[in-house]
Amino acid sequence: MLSEIDHIAAEMGATHVVRFVEAHLGGTVVAIERIPRWRAGWYLTLERDGEAIELYARGERGPDFPSPFDLEHEARVHALLETNGVPVPHVYGLAEGPVRTLIMARVPGQQGLALARDDATRRELMTTYVGHMARIHNIDGERLRHAGFRVPTDPTDVAMSEVFRNVETKYLLLGRRDPLIEFLRSWLWRNVPERTRSTFVTWDSAQFLQHDGELTALIDFELAHVGDAYMDLAALRTRDSIEPLGDLHVTFAEYERLMGESIDFQRLRFYEISQLTVTLMLQFPVLIAPDPESDYVPHLTWYIDSARYALDIMAELFEIDIDTVDVPQAAPSTYHTRLRHLVTTMRTLARSEPKTDLARYGIAVDPTMAERTSASTAVDEFVGWRARCAYRLARHLQRVDEIGSTLDAQNRDDIARLVQHEVLDDAHADETLLTVIDAVGAEREVELLRLFAMRLQRLHMLLGPADSLIVRHRVLQSLPDRA
């Protein structure tokens, strides 16, 4: 006879998770909750010897959004950091099943700084985080080799490290090239800095949990590897654009104090562009061939935001301004009534965004409304999340119907002016851009930068209504050398 938890786990696709936990940790799983987000994940409560043990089961990414490393690599990262005194969730093991899943302790806390009690606490939390970053960057190379990590010594291998090369290889194997990614890749390979000191980096940095004023754990290490220390600093400005981190000038100064050396901010901009290019290459497979389980619009949003910030930072390097594109008047097709009806219907079906998610991104909410979902409603919460996915996609397509043809024509006109001949359609536009990028080097960088900046502004307009948060482009904090 199956228990209630067995039935819930089966409906969530987590039977293998429950079986692994009970077999390897002992006790009985008394609660399980599917986390409503783009990748498979579950919260579990294990009862053992009268004690309730909270666990987090982190599934691998979907087939259209693979990680550069496997879950075994991520487990090794947790073990390395835990051994070196960095607070991270303890990993218990890997559950094999329909979705390979890493089982780890669930550490109390909320992600980011938005729900910290006050500004002073936020500053202290960031100071604590930078201290942990410095500790990670000082892990000895021999320890890294002994723990099974590849430690590059060639300067190019340090700067264009495992994550970039692994992701680039998978992107190239797709057999389909994205003009913007090609432009950025070409620029990066022409401008590789001379870096000889290899350092362990989390890469997708500044992700941590905090509770009652204390930093409880650093999290999310699927891209951690040995590269350049600047890779961790490179994530800060763009992460701050969605999860406010406070005054980053203070953060950079604290890092300089701890490491005993000044930051070369021009060189840091290279790593910011490199990291954003990796994000683009990771998103591209989802955009051209999404898995049925994928939440399409967030991936498109990550692509657009990453692209715009890469171009913003390149404009900083070139010390040029980027022109602003005006939003065109809506010119909906004859099918617009049906699209509007679809959006209205999906809005009714979709739940509002979880309060904890809104707070994490710096949107004011009442903290008392952030409640944990019980096992009895977990499946319903996941269904609600899937409805929100469909609603966001419907709203995007409605906006495409309203202004998409106008923006596509503007993009073709821009390319025609660049090459001085007619561009027939959107496919021809991409082919033309790729031909230009392959044929030229640094001599047309500024022209292409301006063209892509306008193209990405237009694509951003298509995500949703003109007054919605999703089309907002927050200006990055300045780096200290341009304050």
Side-chain angles (χ1 to χ4, degrees):
M1 176 72 72
L2 293 176
S3 68
E4 181 186 2
I5 290 297
D6 291 332
H7 283 294
I8 294 172
E11 191 168 354
M12 294 179 179
T15 297
H16 66 297
V17 173
V18 171
R19 287 177 178 170
F20 178 93
V21 167
E22 293 184 341
H24 289 78
L25 277 69
T28 303
V29 172
V30 295
I32 183 169
E33 171 187 347
R34 173 73 190 259
I35 304 170
R37 65 189 300 255
W38 60 269
R39 76 183 297 163
W42 300 266
Y43 293 136
L44 300 92
T45 301
L46 177 70
E47 194 171 88
R48 186 179 65 188
D49 300 329
E51 178 187 8
I53 301 171
E54 300 296 329
L55 302 171
Y56 168 42
R58 176 181 170 90
E60 65 184 350
R61 291 180 173 190
D64 57 350
F65 190 42
S67 174
F69 303 113
D70 56 26
L71 290 178
E72 286 87 350
H73 173 93
E74 192 170 347
R76 285 196 301 274
V77 174
H78 279 257
L80 172 75
L81 298 183
E82 192 172 8
T83 300
N84 283 275
V86 179
V88 297
H90 178 74
V91 170
Y92 292 101
L94 179 61
E96 299 288 351
V99 177
R100 302 183 77 232
T101 306
L102 208 59
I103 310 299
M104 64 184 78
R106 184 182 181 188
V107 178
Q110 296 161 323
Q111 187 166 351
L113 298 175
L115 290 177
R117 68 171 69 97
D118 52 37
D119 288 342
T121 303
R122 294 183 185 95
R123 285 192 295 271
E124 184 60 33
L125 286 166
M126 274 306 292
T127 299
T128 302
Y129 171 73
V130 174
H132 291 310
M133 181 193 290
R135 182 176 291 108
I136 292 169
H137 291 176
N138 282 317
I139 297 175
D140 180 71
E142 198 53 47
R143 282 193 178 190
L144 298 175
R145 292 186 187 90
H146 182 73
F149 295 98
R150 179 176 172 271
V151 180
T153 55
D154 176 77
T156 300
D157 211 12
V158 173
M160 307 297 274
S161 59
E162 269 190 291
V163 163
F164 189 94
R165 295 190 189 217
N166 287 358
V167 173
E168 184 182 52
T169 297
K170 290 179 181 179
Y171 160 75
L172 293 173
L173 288 173
L174 292 173
R176 180 169 167 180
R177 301 166 71 207
D178 176 78
L180 174 63
I181 292 174
E182 295 303 305
F183 171 65
L184 293 172
R185 284 182 57 242
S186 176
W187 183 87
L188 288 165
W189 281 109
R190 285 197 303 272
N191 292 277
V192 178
E194 280 283 322
R195 298 289 283 176
T196 56
R197 178 173 178 255
S198 55
T199 305
F200 195 81
V201 293
T202 62
W203 200 86
D204 197 5
S205 60
Q207 297 200 74
F208 55 83
L209 301 176
Q210 55 86 16
H211 180 68
D212 285 346
E214 299 291 331
L215 190 153
T216 53
L218 274 59
I219 59 171
D220 203 347
F221 305 116
E222 62 187 338
L223 299 173
H225 68 293
V226 183
D228 188 324
Y230 279 24
M231 293 173 182
D232 277 345
L233 299 174
L236 297 181
R237 284 207 291 172
T238 48
R239 181 162 299 284
D240 174 72
S241 72
I242 55 171
E243 298 178 24
L245 297 176
D247 185 349
L248 291 179
H249 289 207
V250 175
T251 299
F252 290 127
E254 176 65 8
Y255 181 81
E256 290 177 322
R257 185 188 72 80
L258 291 172
M259 299 301 290
E261 60 184 44
S262 298
I263 298 169
D264 181 341
F265 289 103
Q266 282 291 81
R267 187 166 288 170
L268 178 59
R269 289 184 175 91
F270 170 89
Y271 286 102
E272 289 179 319
I273 295 169
S274 174
Q275 188 168 64
L276 291 162
T277 303
V278 168
T279 304
L280 292 173
M281 291 190 287
L282 285 169
Q283 306 308 321
F284 190 61
V286 188
L287 301 187
I288 63 174
D291 184 79
E293 294 297 312
S294 290
D295 186 359
Y296 190 87
V297 172
H299 288 283
L300 178 58
T301 304
W302 294 333
Y303 175 94
I304 292 168
D305 283 339
S306 298
R308 292 195 66 183
Y309 285 130
L311 297 168
D312 289 347
I313 294 163
M314 190 176 287
E316 285 182 13
L317 277 168
F318 294 165
E319 298 186 356
I320 64 171
D321 294 324
I322 291 176
D323 295 332
T324 301
V325 178
D326 294 328
V327 180
Q329 288 289 332
S333 72
T334 55
Y335 303 105
H336 190 66
T337 300
R338 300 168 210 182
L339 282 167
R340 186 173 63 244
H341 178 67
L342 174 63
V343 169
T344 302
T345 302
M346 294 310 304
R347 183 188 296 122
T348 302
L349 294 174
R351 273 64 164 181
S352 60
E353 290 292 333
K355 302 299 183 293
T356 49
D357 285 358
L358 294 173
R360 173 183 167 189
Y361 299 124
I363 301 169
V365 295
D366 179 357
T368 63
M369 298 176 70
E371 299 173 353
R372 180 179 173 182
T373 306
S374 66
S376 61
T377 60
V379 175
D380 186 58
E381 281 295 309
F382 184 71
V383 170
W385 172 75
R386 292 298 301 172
R388 289 196 298 276
C389 298
Y391 166 64
R392 285 191 289 261
L393 183 57
R395 195 172 68 161
H396 161 57
L397 294 176
Q398 181 185 36
R399 193 60 173 155
V400 170
D401 181 72
E402 292 172 345
I403 62 174
S405 59
T406 301
L407 297 180
D408 288 343
Q410 291 176 359
N411 286 330
R412 291 193 297 272
D413 289 345
D414 284 350
I415 299 168
R417 281 190 291 271
L418 179 76
V419 298
Q420 296 296 299
H421 64 70
E422 183 182 9
V423 176
L424 302 176
D425 53 34
D426 294 338
H428 186 216
D430 280 0
E431 292 169 7
T432 302
L433 272 178
L434 288 168
T435 300
V436 172
I437 292 164
D438 289 343
V440 304
E443 65 272 14
R444 302 197 77 174
E445 284 175 345
V446 173
E447 284 180 275
L448 288 166
L449 166 59
R450 293 187 186 281
L451 182 146
F452 278 116
M454 297 176 73
R455 181 177 167 115
L456 266 294
Q457 287 181 60
R458 295 183 185 116
L459 183 57
H460 203 166
M461 294 174 191
L462 297 174
L463 287 177
D467 60 349
S468 59
L469 287 174
I470 201 170
V471 300
R472 178 185 66 179
H473 183 61
R474 184 175 174 183
V475 176
L476 294 175
Q477 287 194 46
S478 65
L479 289 177
D481 64 339
R482 301 282 178 87

